[in-house]
Amino acid sequence: MADNLRRLTPTDVPRLRQFWSDHWGGEFIVSRGNIHHPEQMEGFVVEDQDAWAGLITYRIANNECEVISLDGLRDGQGIGTMLLRKVIEEARATKCQRIFLITTNDNLYALGFYQRRDFEIAAVHRGAVNESRKIKPSIPLIGMNGSPLRDEIELELEL
Ligand SMILES: CC(C)(COP(=O)(O)OP(=O)(O)OC[C@H]1O[C@@H](n2cnc3c(N)ncnc32)[C@H](O)[C@@H]1OP(=O)(O)O)[C@@H](O)C(=O)NCCC(=O)NCCS
């Protein structure tokens, strides 16, 4: 799979838009009250023939790297780890001081996944998803594990 990892290019934008619609409930992603659009993203994709088997998107600004989305579509084959590692390398190479991301209170698997990879909880933004929902009404009220979807949890790795 590592051979099939490549950087996103501008020609991927329509496909990225569709991917986010399919996996994240809309053509844009909201975190910390900011709207992220596909055309603003840097990222890497893992391809399995024509299909996208994994995707990570991120933005670098002010010496910080924010992971905007991470999806592994072949559970437990190492794709999510490989993509995250790639962005950590990128962030280090661009002299970022930290890499951070937002996940939500219901996503217990992601909370474990990142913490097993040395990320630490940097902040809990109580009720932030309720605010994001005002911008993106497609965010469901009930998330994973049948939990109310309401808080943003910020995880970071200092570089
Ligand atoms: C979180 C997510 C990205 C992980 O992706 P993934 O491709 O399954 O991740 P990996 O395969 O690298 O790792 C998952 C587990 O499989 C194990 N694994 C990795 N390669 C393996 C292999 N070749 N054989 C067996 N197990 C393996 C890993 O050890 C890992 O377990 P661990 O976390 O206990 O160490 C994926 O579950 C996902 O897309 N979730 C939905 C979207 C989401 O919540 N994204 C994150 C929030 S932004």
Side-chain angles (χ1 to χ4, degrees):
M1 279 289 180
D3 295 347
N4 302 328
L5 185 150
R6 68 167 175 84
R7 198 178 282 277
L8 282 180
T9 68
T11 56
D12 291 312
V13 167
R15 195 161 174 192
L16 173 56
R17 193 171 287 128
Q18 185 61 49
F19 188 97
W20 276 1
S21 292
D22 294 344
H23 295 273
W24 293 101
E27 294 187 353
F28 61 91
I29 287 180
V30 183
S31 69
R32 305 293 302 111
N34 298 311
I35 300 177
H36 304 284
H37 294 281
E39 54 273 22
Q40 300 167 320
M41 291 302 113
E42 298 190 64
F44 294 95
V45 61
V46 172
E47 291 179 315
D48 182 2
Q49 298 183 4
D50 282 342
W52 282 8
L55 169 73
I56 193 164
T57 58
Y58 65 97
R59 293 179 87 174
I60 292 179
N62 305 321
N63 290 330
E64 296 190 333
C65 175
E66 178 174 2
V67 174
I68 306 298
S69 70
L70 173 62
D71 292 276
L73 303 186
R74 308 276 190 275
D75 283 354
Q77 291 187 18
I79 293 173
T81 304
M82 180 167 66
L83 287 165
L84 186 61
R85 198 177 293 142
K86 191 79 190 161
V87 174
I88 293 170
E89 275 172 23
E90 239 356 70
R92 281 211 171 95
T94 22
K95 308 270 186 269
C96 287
Q97 287 164 355
R98 68 168 190 146
I99 178 165
F100 73 103
L101 58 95
I102 296 293
T103 189
T104 47
N105 63 291
D106 62 315
N107 197 345
L108 305 182
Y109 184 78
L111 282 168
F113 176 86
Y114 290 117
Q115 289 183 89
R116 285 190 293 278
R117 285 155 184 81
D118 300 326
F119 281 71
E120 294 180 37
I121 293 177
V124 175
H125 305 286
R126 276 185 83 183
V129 180
N130 296 331
E131 295 305 309
S132 298
R133 195 178 287 111
K134 291 177 187 163
I135 302 170
K136 186 176 175 183
S138 62
I139 297 174
L141 288 166
I142 303 295
M144 298 179 197
N145 306 295
S147 302
L149 176 46
R150 56 185 167 213
D151 310 312
E152 292 187 351
I153 299 179
E154 184 173 332
L155 290 134
E156 73 172 12
L157 176 69
E158 285 183 24
L159 300 174

